Amino acid sequence: MGTRRPRAWLLSAYRADSHAAWADWLLASQPQVDWRRLELPGRHFAWRIRGNPLSWLDALPAEAPDLLLATSMVDLATLKGLHPRLAEVPALYYFHENQFAYPLSDRQNHWLEPCMVQLYGGLAADRLLFNSAFNRSSYLEGVATLLTQMPDAVPAGIVERLTQKSELCPVPIAPVSAAAERDPQLVLWNHRWEHDKAPEVFAEAMIALAGEGVPFRLALLGKRPRQVPPALARLREALPERIVADGRLPLDEYRTQLGRAGIAVSTARHEFQGLAMLEAASAGARPLVPDALCYPEQYPPVCRYPEGDSAALVARLRKWLGGDLPPAVDVSPWHADRLAPLWAEVLGTLAT
């Protein structure tokens, strides 16, 4: 008889696109673990992050696993409290994001509970895994700031406890092949068209460059809401003849556009790892990103412009579109084949 594989539960309370891709890859790449997967749909954020222990109240298997791997959308502390058989099970807590550093839209109010879920989850876990150093530092700094705002009875050393059991373990990307012929004047946008990605800044820059007569073409990709975002509507109205792709494309077509693009732009106000930019850079597109968030970990200074400086963005694009492109960036440290052994090591440490 062979050695029994360690049993692990993957608990993902918000199966959105990047969370789903990570979970799918992890289970496929780590067959040495006997996985049981429990996920909730990626919608109704406020209910998901607070209500997942209730949603799973009667759904968890009767037999406890050898290991829990929960995303930071999971209220791990409450889950362990409701199920005493899980109290002593080793737990990894994986941060795709953290609520301390997430920018709120004009329609949102700051609320305390999502931050407290992730604070308690961090304390309840044996190890905290982060997809970037920025994610880790902003979480720890956010916890420290929150605790200073509490009126009394705050124990000492909370941040130190969390820091001691924190480490980096990025989400991998599947590298994209370059096209046989690249278009150095094809500018790619492959992010969500939502407030935290600041698409209005991108639209303003491209319209300004068009007004100067700078030649370029646009591939406007990425997930968009049902109602057309104002930034996308502006680009469609102002630059229809320059748009060569517009929509959330099938995967093969999406990868083709990445392989053709000369430049990929981010104007994000929030980015914990930036998978879309890493994918574009893997295909050879030159990344142009804010000098903030996770980006300094990934791209050299020539690829970064001062955060929030739209004039600097326009100036860099003008230069690059004029033929002065920097070298391609090596993002192979984030390739799946490089990260699979790291994940195997992390899982093996506790799943014994």
Side-chain angles (χ1 to χ4, degrees), residues 330-345:
D330 177 17
V331 293
S332 61
W334 289 270
H335 288 187
D337 61 349
R338 295 277 292 273
L339 288 174
L342 174 60
W343 276 100
E345 180 181 354

Side-chain angles (χ1 to χ4, degrees), residues 15-299:
R15 186 178 164 85
D17 290 350
S18 61
H19 295 223
W22 164 77
D24 294 346
W25 171 84
L26 186 67
L27 269 62
S29 70
Q30 306 297 324
Q32 75 280 8
V33 176
D34 182 8
W35 292 102
R36 181 68 181 264
R37 179 174 183 159
L38 295 106
E39 294 175 302
L40 295 169
R43 57 177 181 262
H44 310 311
F45 171 85
W47 164 236
R48 283 288 176 266
I49 196 168
R50 199 63 187 92
N52 57 83
L54 187 59
S55 298
W56 281 325
L57 184 64
D58 300 318
L60 300 183
E63 185 178 3
D66 301 305
L67 174 69
L68 294 172
L69 171 54
T71 70
S72 61
M73 284 288 293
V74 174
D75 187 349
L76 181 63
T78 298
L79 200 71
K80 282 200 164 198
L82 290 173
H83 301 274
R85 67 187 185 280
L86 301 180
E88 300 301 321
V89 176
L92 299 169
Y93 203 44
Y94 190 56
F95 286 81
H96 289 277
E97 46 72 37
N98 78 78
Q99 290 302 301
F100 295 92
Y102 201 96
L104 301 178
S105 73
D106 294 338
R107 299 187 300 275
Q108 292 173 308
N109 295 314
H110 179 76
W111 65 93
L112 181 63
E113 288 201 14
C115 294
M116 294 302 295
V117 164
Q118 294 187 336
L119 170 55
Y120 289 143
L123 290 169
D126 293 87
R127 293 171 76 180
L128 313 186
L129 308 177
F130 294 86
N131 60 3
S132 70
F134 166 71
N135 194 356
R136 178 175 60 186
S137 64
S138 59
Y139 170 73
L140 296 170
E141 290 165 7
V143 168
T145 299
L146 175 65
L147 294 179
T148 63
Q149 296 169 349
M150 297 300 101
D152 60 13
V154 176
I158 295 295
V159 174
E160 289 73 18
R161 293 184 215 180
L162 296 170
T163 300
Q164 288 169 6
K165 54 184 179 178
S166 297
E167 60 188 287
L168 301 186
C169 204
V171 173
I173 62 165
V176 179
S177 299
E181 187 173 344
R182 186 177 304 281
D183 181 353
Q185 294 181 328
L186 177 59
V187 179
L188 171 75
W189 170 277
N190 62 332
H191 315 280
R192 288 181 289 104
W193 293 79
E194 296 182 16
H195 75 97
D196 58 305
K197 305 301 183 186
E200 69 281 357
V201 177
F202 173 71
E204 196 72 42
M206 301 319 299
I207 292 170
L209 287 166
E212 297 177 12
V214 176
F216 62 84
R217 285 156 292 283
L218 289 172
L220 305 178
L221 311 182
K223 185 177 182 180
R224 65 275 315 267
R226 291 181 181 178
Q227 185 172 354
V228 178
L232 180 56
R234 281 195 69 197
L235 288 168
R236 287 173 173 174
E237 180 180 358
L239 308 175
E241 72 288 349
R242 295 174 182 257
I243 300 173
V244 299
D246 182 0
R248 196 175 184 198
L249 303 179
L251 182 58
D252 58 342
E253 296 179 31
Y254 170 79
R255 291 169 71 90
T256 295
Q257 291 296 332
L258 266 58
R260 292 183 59 240
I263 303 169
V265 176
S266 169
T267 51
R269 299 188 182 101
H270 139 256
E271 203 66 86
F272 291 106
Q273 187 179 340
L275 295 174
M277 288 300 296
L278 286 169
E279 288 178 341
S282 77
R286 276 46 168 190
L288 185 52
V289 300
D291 188 16
L293 310 171
C294 63
Y295 294 131
E297 303 169 48
Q298 300 162 340
Y299 307 113

